[in-house]
Amino acid sequence: MKTPSRRNFLKTAAIGSAAAVAAPWIGNVQAQEGIRIRMQSSWQPGTTGYRIFEKWAAGVAEATGGEVRIEPFPAGAVAGAFEVADAVRNGVLDGQNWFTVYWPGKMPAGVFLTAYPMGLSVPHQWDIMFGAYGGFGIAKDLYRKQGQELLGYVHHDLNLIHSKVPLRSFDDFKGIKIRMPGGIVAETFAAIGARTTLLPGSEVYPALEKGTIDAADYTGAAVNYELGFWQVADYIIMGPPSTPCLHQAVDLMDISVNRRIFERMSPQTQDLMHDLVAAYSREHYAAIQKANAEAWPKYREKGVEIIHLSEEDATRFREAAIPLWFKWANKDPDAARLFKAHLDTMMDPAVGLITEEDIQGYQLNA
């Protein structure tokens, strides 16, 4: 017997869901027109990431039997990179697919909605934190306080540092002007002597090109190649083989909608939307990794040097990061509650990122 594909499974589930709620919705104009969700992504147009997002958005109407239709927008089309959440809360947009690293400006707990220096380092560790240690429920509460409903997190990639100058150890970062996304990530680099600046994604390439910054954190290999970073930076700086990215190893995105929009959906569709986002996360991550595998040889062909920092550098970076973990966790009770889920995960024997000795003398006060 032929095994049904994931797409067919989701389509079948959607049809069943739509049929189950058809009777109560007869004669309802909303059922005929569907719920339109204007959703802005953090992906720039023309990139692998945005093409994947557009494809997923187009499939939602079919999967929900027409009840939900997503109108996609690329980065900056409606709201600025750091203003997307405000636009969703105020109804200028209905939903977002943004990099959750932008949350800290809105709430301290936001630093723990995505990777931070020397924290959870691979996607399945985040799945453990969100699932086994209750992080997803906490994240749901945080989004609701912002007037949104979190439908799911989206695995993306590790972030790279593109540099105009060779940075072969953390000593070389001293005095370097580097673009970082703010929050705990920027503070950790400042602690090792870098001069950090905050720029939206659309301004990173021009800043490197003009030399107003020396280096920049941005997304992964494929997207950065498509954006032409190889033209303005001769070096990619990564962690040691044990930890290829020290500062943002799992750069999570999200899919969330305004609460008023979510409450207009039928209960069956609310559940289905969570399933569709989970499927999107898997497909998004796999497609990005495939594109990365094709991009790495292209960098080498262009003469870009990939520099790996040492294990000693990783140890030094962890020593700089841990005090800042607790500084941000103790900013408010929400941050402490979410970071506790991180700590429990990092100390899980199956993860083993830190020990009691590593955090001796630190405590959660909130």
Side-chain angles (χ1 to χ4, degrees):
M1 180 180 293
K2 185 177 179 181
T3 301
S5 68
R6 180 193 303 151
R7 177 177 175 83
N8 288 337
F9 169 79
L10 289 172
K11 183 176 179 181
T12 300
I15 292 171
S17 175
V21 298
W25 286 67
I26 290 175
N28 190 325
V29 174
Q30 180 171 288
Q32 298 172 12
E33 296 181 352
I35 300 170
R36 183 173 71 112
I37 297 178
R38 297 159 299 160
M39 183 176 290
Q40 182 170 309
S41 175
S42 289
W43 285 122
Q44 295 186 46
T47 61
T48 296
Y50 190 66
R51 289 193 294 271
I52 302 166
F53 173 65
E54 281 188 306
K55 181 179 178 182
W56 174 79
V60 168
E62 178 185 5
T64 62
E67 185 180 340
V68 177
R69 300 178 184 275
I70 293 180
E71 182 180 354
F73 294 93
V78 178
F82 305 112
E83 309 306 325
V84 174
D86 289 333
V88 174
R89 183 174 61 248
N90 297 331
V92 177
L93 287 164
D94 305 307
Q96 68 185 35
N97 163 229
W98 80 340
F99 289 108
T100 52
V101 72
Y102 295 149
W103 267 120
K106 310 297 178 185
M107 55 182 174
V111 300
F112 304 117
L113 289 173
T114 189
Y116 50 92
M118 303 305 294
L120 301 174
S121 59
V122 291
H124 82 266
Q125 294 173 355
W126 282 84
D127 294 337
I128 292 171
M129 188 280 294
F130 278 126
Y133 288 99
F136 192 68
I138 299 170
K140 277 270 195 185
D141 290 344
L142 293 175
Y143 274 68
R144 286 169 180 163
K145 289 180 180 181
Q146 299 292 323
Q148 295 196 37
E149 185 70 26
L150 174 63
L151 298 180
Y153 54 93
V154 179
H155 282 310
H156 154 236
D157 203 3
L158 52 76
N159 274 13
L160 300 178
I161 294 175
H162 293 263
S163 179
K164 298 176 76 71
V165 296
L167 303 171
R168 302 189 187 279
S169 78
F170 277 129
D171 291 332
D172 293 338
F173 278 80
K174 291 178 181 176
I176 290 293
K177 189 170 185 181
I178 186 169
R179 180 266 184 183
M180 283 291 155
I184 194 172
V185 181
E187 288 189 11
T188 309
F189 276 90
I192 64 168
R195 295 184 297 142
T196 65
T197 186
L198 182 65
L199 294 172
S202 61
E203 296 180 20
V204 176
Y205 181 98
L208 282 169
E209 184 179 34
K210 295 174 183 176
T212 54
I213 57 175
D214 303 305
D217 153 270
Y218 205 55
T219 55
V223 171
N224 293 356
Y225 187 86
E226 291 169 339
L227 293 173
F229 278 30
W230 54 272
Q231 298 174 343
V232 294
D234 292 333
Y235 305 93
I236 291 175
I237 317 301
M238 302 183 71
S242 66
T243 318
C245 180
L246 301 179
H247 69 290
Q248 208 168 3
V250 183
D251 188 16
L252 287 171
M253 302 183 79
D254 72 358
I255 297 285
S256 60
V257 296
N258 184 291
R259 281 284 298 168
R260 292 188 296 273
I261 292 290
F262 183 73
E263 289 168 357
R264 288 171 56 196
M265 298 178 193
S266 63
Q268 292 87 346
T269 298
Q270 289 177 349
D271 290 341
L272 179 59
M273 287 300 297
H274 287 84
D275 293 338
L276 292 174
V277 172
Y280 170 53
S281 178
R282 294 189 294 272
E283 292 166 5
H284 183 265
Y285 183 74
I288 290 286
Q289 300 313 308
K290 182 177 185 298
N292 283 348
E294 297 168 353
W296 285 118
K298 298 177 183 178
Y299 281 107
R300 295 186 176 95
E301 290 170 4
K302 298 295 184 181
V304 175
E305 181 183 353
I306 300 169
I307 298 173
H308 285 277
L309 300 173
S310 68
E311 293 291 348
E312 180 184 353
D313 286 322
T315 298
R316 291 172 58 190
F317 203 50
R318 185 185 298 278
E319 291 171 352
I322 288 176
L324 293 169
W325 294 355
F326 285 87
K327 171 189 171 182
W328 278 83
N330 286 322
K331 282 181 178 284
D332 69 21
D334 285 332
R337 187 162 60 115
L338 184 53
F339 182 62
K340 178 63 165 56
H342 282 258
L343 274 182
D344 290 343
T345 306
M346 286 190 281
M347 297 179 71
D348 185 308
V351 177
L353 287 181
I354 60 171
T355 66
E356 291 283 359
E357 184 178 357
D358 292 323
I359 58 173
Q360 188 174 0
Y362 297 100
Q363 62 180 7
L364 293 175
N365 299 322

